[in-house]
Amino acid sequence: MRILLTLIFCWLVSACGTLQIEEKNFIRPDNLTGAVTKSRLDQAALQAVVPSASLSELSVPGEADVTLRGVLMRRPDAVASVLYFGGNAFHLDESAKELASKLSACPVNIVLFDYRGYGRSGGAPTVANMEQDALTLFDHTNAQFPGRVFVHGHSLGSFVAAHVAQQRPVKGLVLEATASNPLDWAKANVPWYLSAFIEVEVSESLRNIDNTKALAHFTQPSLVLAGSLDRVTPAPLGRKVFDAIPSSAKQILVVEGGHHNDLLDHPEAMAAYCKFML
């Protein structure tokens, strides 16, 4: 998300009136950011936060000979399973322990994968292959837990999760810090005092990404979590997605004082989350 501020700065320097948003601004794999995973999640690390959970490593073949790698954190008392798609900086080895600690309030199994080009997974990500990978990962997870898989997407992952919900029989959908589409997101991140001078455009490959369209026929249970202080994906964007879902079993929670990355730290959000899973 910080790349947008860089682009705005470049506009100020060059006096260019068009802000062009491309895949490289929306997807930031390790070869662009230089991210390096310092430690690997293991059984001891997991049990430090969820003593009853067991850890299994997963490998799922993707397109173009890419192997998608992840983990299954299984609990003996689980009533459902969550396939989690993280945000742009998500790496399972760095984030899984904290995420497991938060979600341990709910009796669920957790399935995590690194996107291709991130962490353990090879390859180079594009919008198209990330969407296809997500369907492959859901099929793999649903084969293990038929009819009991909730899909949860945070930020960038909310677009991936919505795509899966559009294409597959998910039990329920959680969208955390979501947005309607890349154009709305980009406009929301342009300071108000520059909005009159900047025309925002998105690349062709991003124009078809729209959670309001993807979920226009979604009738399964859904939970939208937004933060009142989220400046990356402001709450009105989450509300726009919520309003587009036709399901009668939908709910939205705007967490007062919530930011982009801390919504699950708020007790009211986790209470709603666990109730949603039961």
Side-chain angles (χ1 to χ4, degrees):
M1 301 302 182
R2 294 178 182 175
I3 190 66
L4 190 55
L5 297 178
T6 303
L7 289 173
I8 293 173
F9 175 79
C10 291
W11 172 84
L12 290 172
V13 173
S14 64
C16 175
T18 300
L19 187 62
Q20 181 71 30
I21 305 300
E22 302 176 359
E23 285 195 19
K24 66 181 180 180
N25 309 128
F26 206 60
I27 304 170
R28 303 287 292 167
D30 293 351
N31 67 335
L32 292 181
T33 63
V36 177
T37 300
K38 296 179 180 179
S39 61
R40 193 175 182 89
L41 179 72
D42 58 17
Q43 182 65 38
L46 175 61
Q47 288 192 321
V49 293
V50 190
S52 64
S54 62
L55 183 70
S56 302
E57 297 195 1
L58 305 174
S59 296
V60 177
E63 290 186 337
D65 297 322
V66 169
T67 299
L68 306 171
R69 302 188 185 279
V71 295
L72 164 61
M73 294 181 282
R74 187 193 294 265
R75 288 177 52 157
D77 61 342
V79 298
S81 296
V82 176
L83 175 59
Y84 180 89
F85 294 104
N88 211 343
F90 180 82
H91 292 76
L92 74 86
D93 282 309
E94 295 177 352
S95 303
K97 183 178 176 180
E98 181 180 358
L99 181 64
S101 177
K102 295 175 182 178
L103 298 190
S104 65
C106 315
V108 295
N109 300 318
I110 307 171
V111 181
L112 306 174
F113 279 87
D114 279 325
Y115 298 121
R116 68 168 63 206
Y118 291 71
R120 300 185 185 187
S121 297
T126 64
V127 167
N129 63 35
M130 287 178 74
E131 290 181 339
Q132 183 55 52
D133 287 347
L135 298 179
T136 299
L137 296 178
F138 176 84
D139 292 342
H140 179 271
T141 305
N142 197 51
Q144 296 181 73
F145 309 104
R148 297 194 299 139
V149 180
F150 288 83
V151 177
H152 176 170
H154 171 251
S155 192
L156 170 68
S158 73
F159 293 98
V160 179
H163 179 73
V164 174
Q166 181 185 33
Q167 302 287 335
R168 293 294 190 267
V170 305
K171 186 172 182 179
L173 172 68
V174 178
L175 299 177
E176 177 191 357
T178 189
S180 42
N181 55 59
L183 181 60
D184 287 348
W185 164 78
K187 288 182 176 179
N189 278 270
V190 174
W192 65 267
Y193 48 84
L194 292 178
S195 59
F197 307 99
I198 295 179
E199 180 181 357
V200 180
E201 295 182 356
V202 297
S203 66
E204 184 176 355
S205 63
L206 295 178
R207 291 174 191 164
N208 292 326
I209 300 176
D210 192 320
N211 282 346
T212 63
K213 294 179 180 179
L215 300 173
H217 302 287
F218 184 70
T219 57
Q220 291 296 97
S222 55
L223 172 64
V224 177
L225 299 174
S228 67
L229 300 181
D230 187 346
R231 295 185 178 180
V232 179
T233 52
L237 298 184
R239 171 67 69 175
K240 187 174 182 179
V241 176
F242 172 80
D243 289 342
I245 300 172
S247 173
S248 59
K250 67 177 181 177
Q251 52 188 298
I252 184 170
L253 175 63
V254 178
V255 179
E256 289 300 320
H259 296 81
H260 189 67
N261 292 314
D262 69 353
L263 297 181
L264 297 183
D265 292 328
H266 292 258
E268 64 269 35
M270 283 311 307
Y273 192 97
C274 291
K275 185 177 180 180
F276 181 74
M277 296 291 164
L278 296 177

